[in-house]
Amino acid sequence: MDEYEKAVDAFEYVLAINEDADFVYQDIAELHFKKGEFKKALVVLKEMTNDFDADDEIYFLQGKCHEALGDMKMARYCYRKAVHENPSLSEAYYRIGEPITRRVMGTGL
């Protein structure tokens, strides 16, 4: 069992004790994302948005997962939701515009 799996197990133990620890869901999703398990991260984030109020960080991480999976339409949708929640989230604006810039400029940036 690697360190990521141990961390996920520990976080899941916390959830077993306290289902309302919403921050733990985000931590689990971020661990899956860092490990390249984008679909698993999206499952956790979806569960979180069903059970708790989502915020800009959740929508932004959802966007990054969709982008990593190649679904730019859904990624942009999530980035826009993140910006709606937090208009000062500059990285979300960048991630919305960067693919458009590449397409228009014909570059790989």
Side-chain angles (χ1 to χ4, degrees):
M1 180 180 286
D2 68 13
E3 295 303 312
Y4 282 108
E5 291 170 341
K6 289 178 184 176
V8 170
D9 284 348
F11 285 133
E12 288 176 347
Y13 179 75
V14 171
L15 286 176
I17 296 170
N18 181 4
E19 291 179 350
D20 294 329
D22 60 337
F23 64 92
V24 175
Y25 286 96
Q26 185 172 348
D27 291 336
I28 293 171
E30 287 174 0
L31 285 170
H32 285 308
F33 180 84
K34 288 177 182 176
K35 194 166 181 187
E37 298 173 339
F38 308 117
K39 289 182 181 180
K40 284 185 179 180
L42 283 170
V43 168
V44 173
L45 292 166
K46 179 67 174 170
E47 184 176 336
M48 186 175 181
T49 58
N50 287 342
D51 295 341
F52 305 101
D53 291 333
D55 61 16
D56 60 315
E57 292 178 15
I58 300 307
Y59 293 129
F60 185 72
L61 186 53
Q62 284 177 324
K64 287 173 51 175
C65 289
H66 286 294
E67 184 175 349
L69 292 169
D71 186 352
M72 289 309 298
K73 183 177 181 180
M74 194 64 189
R76 282 190 304 273
Y77 172 79
C78 292
Y79 294 143
R80 285 186 186 111
K81 287 184 84 160
V83 166
H84 178 76
E85 294 292 321
N86 180 1
S88 66
L89 189 59
S90 60
E91 190 176 353
Y93 285 109
Y94 171 80
R95 288 182 177 267
I96 291 167
E98 191 265 339
I100 297 167
T101 303
R102 266 190 304 182
R103 189 173 56 230
V104 170
M105 300 299 288
T107 64
L109 289 181

